[in-house]
């Protein structure tokens, strides 16, 4: 994609996109959640205390800017533990790991900093408890997502993955009277509720988790987007392509009838999208830094007069304590 102004054609597009006064409806809350802040700070503290290199299994959070920044400071991101030297420091990402990964780390004497989001840890605990009482655990989530892989690994012999309504309707279980469902924390409420309804039709005795597994931050960002999407001509969601909660925001805006695009930053905005758009909805997934939102607003200001109107759906005051082995001593 061409950057604005890099060619005569690009400048012509920019001119078309810049001829009107625009309003940006800014969703709040947006950007980092408490679990993401905790995970990033865990890597930063580990680098400060232990020095580089610090190995991180998978992306610490699903955002390319965050990963690149930490890599520039000495973090080494790996896919699996066999890429980590014996005895080295390794950070587990916010998305969590399976017990098998923990066992391998212990066997090899790795110095582990566990940055798993506490809300993901909650889901793991539920999976262990429900499987232990003899239930089949139906996990609603997306195959291949790191959080799902970690949760599936808690009780793999008693856990099945359901990704959509069709999967739920076709599911066959040996013991249909003892079934509990759990969910990936970054799903949309609408997506999950329709799948749960399909499961309840198949298994009337289906048991829910004690409390909602969908992350408070995911829900809050979706509710904030609802407040602006129908008023907007277009919605821009700041987030990386592998960010599940960012993808869900795009899907939500589109389900409400509004054109929406996922962008990794200001440079990914195609000026053609903005032609005729007087009102732009703007939000960011829970793993996207707020500075990227600021850069998008700065870019939009270069296209013409801009009014910013923030719409707040919830106030977040959640804070998670850092892993014990990176906390500052009193």
């Amino acid at each position: 994609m061409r950057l604005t102004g890099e060619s005569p054609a690009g400048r012509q597009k920019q001119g078309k996109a810049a001829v009107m006064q625009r309003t940006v409806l800014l969703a709040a809350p947006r950007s980092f959640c408490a679990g993401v802040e905790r995970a990033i700070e865990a890597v930063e503290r580990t680098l400060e205390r232990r020095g580089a290199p610090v190995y991180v299994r998978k992306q610490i959070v699903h955002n390319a800017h965050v990963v690149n920044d930490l890599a520039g400071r000495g973090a080494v991101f790996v896919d699996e533990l066999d890429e980590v030297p014996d005895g080295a420091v390794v950070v587990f990402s916010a998305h969590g790991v399976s017990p098998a990964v923990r066992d391998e780390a212990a066997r090899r004497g790795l110095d582990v900093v566990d940055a798993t989001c506490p809300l993901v840890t909650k889901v793991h605990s539920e999976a262990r408890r429900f499987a232990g009482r003899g239930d089949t655990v139906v996990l609603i989530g997306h195959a291949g997502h790191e959080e799902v892989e970690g949760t599936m690994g808690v009780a793999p012999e008693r856990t099945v993955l359901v990704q959509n309504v069709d999967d739920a309707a076709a599911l066959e279980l040996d013991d249909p009277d003892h079934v509990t469902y759990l969910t990936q924390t970054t799903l949309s409420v609408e997506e999950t509720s329709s799948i749960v309804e399909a499961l309840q039709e198949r298994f009337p005795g289906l048991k829910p988790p004690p409390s909602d597994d969908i992350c408070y931050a995911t829900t809050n960002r979706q509710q904030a987007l609802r407040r602006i999407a129908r008023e907007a001509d277009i919605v821009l969601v700041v987030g990386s392509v592998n960010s599940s909660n960012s993808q869900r925001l795009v899907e939500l805006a589109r389900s409400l009838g509004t054109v929406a695009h996922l962008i990794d930053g200001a440079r990914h905005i195609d000026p053609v999208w903005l032609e005729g758009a007087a009102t732009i909805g703007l939000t960011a997934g829970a793993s996207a830094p707020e500075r990227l939102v600021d850069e998008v607003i700065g870019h939009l200001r270069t296209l013409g007069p801009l009014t910013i109107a923030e719409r707040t759906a919830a106030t977040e005051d959640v804070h998670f304590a850092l892993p014990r082995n990176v906390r500052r001593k009193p």
Side-chain angles (χ1 to χ4, degrees), residues 70-221:
L70 292 173
R73 297 156 67 177
V76 178
F77 293 89
V78 300
D79 286 327
E80 298 298 343
L81 292 186
D82 59 12
E83 301 172 62
V84 181
D86 289 349
V89 180
V90 63
V91 181
F92 291 157
S93 81
H95 307 104
V97 299
S98 69
V101 172
R102 295 183 185 278
D103 291 345
E104 181 185 353
R107 178 180 58 79
R108 296 187 49 215
L110 300 179
D111 187 355
V112 173
V113 174
D114 187 1
T116 302
C117 176
L119 300 181
V120 175
T121 299
K122 165 188 172 290
V123 177
H124 286 198
S125 297
E126 291 169 343
R128 189 176 299 108
R129 184 167 72 255
F130 299 150
R133 73 186 182 193
D135 285 7
T136 296
V137 177
V138 177
L139 177 62
I140 301 172
H142 296 142
H145 191 281
E146 289 146 36
E147 180 186 329
V148 167
E149 291 176 350
T151 303
M152 292 287 292
V154 171
E157 71 287 350
R158 300 205 65 85
T159 307
V160 295
L161 179 65
V162 165
Q163 299 190 74
N164 51 48
V165 170
D166 290 341
D167 285 353
L171 185 61
E172 299 283 349
L173 297 176
D174 293 336
D175 187 359
D177 295 325
H178 296 88
V179 187
T180 301
Y181 77 86
L182 300 174
T183 69
Q184 182 180 331
T185 63
T186 54
L187 301 182
S188 71
V189 174
E190 290 77 7
E191 176 184 23
T192 304
S193 61
S194 61
I195 296 172
V196 170
E197 288 174 5
L199 287 170
Q200 288 171 331
E201 289 184 11
R202 294 282 293 131
F203 311 105
L206 180 73
K207 294 181 284 293
S211 59
D212 196 351
D213 287 335
I214 296 178
C215 166
Y216 76 93
T218 298
T219 300
N220 286 347
R221 280 149 189 73

Side-chain angles (χ1 to χ4, degrees), residues 316-330:
E316 294 180 350
D317 56 4
V318 178
H319 175 76
F320 295 134
L322 287 167
R324 288 185 179 276
N325 51 350
V326 294
R327 293 179 196 171
R328 289 194 175 96
K329 295 180 181 180

Side-chain angles (χ1 to χ4, degrees), residues 279-294:
T279 304
I280 301 169
L282 180 60
T283 189
S287 53
E290 178 70 8
R291 65 176 175 81
L292 299 179
V293 175
D294 294 338

Side-chain angles (χ1 to χ4, degrees), residues 10-31:
R11 285 191 293 272
Q12 183 179 10
K13 289 181 180 180
Q14 180 180 1
K16 289 181 180 179
V19 295
M20 62 173 64
Q21 166 79 39
R22 288 190 174 84
T23 297
V24 169
L25 299 179
L26 191 58
R30 60 185 176 275
S31 296

Side-chain angles (χ1 to χ4, degrees), residues 249-305:
L249 290 171
V250 174
E251 292 171 359
L252 174 60
R254 290 173 179 169
S255 75
L256 297 172
T258 305
V259 174
H261 298 281
L262 180 67
I263 57 173
D264 221 357
R267 68 188 184 89
H268 292 112
I269 298 173
D270 187 335
V272 171
W273 299 342
L274 305 182
E275 293 178 11
T279 304
I280 301 169
L282 180 60
T283 189
S287 53
E290 178 70 8
R291 65 176 175 81
L292 299 179
V293 175
D294 294 338
E295 289 173 6
V296 169
I297 292 173
H299 173 72
L300 294 175
R301 288 191 189 281
T302 69
L303 303 179

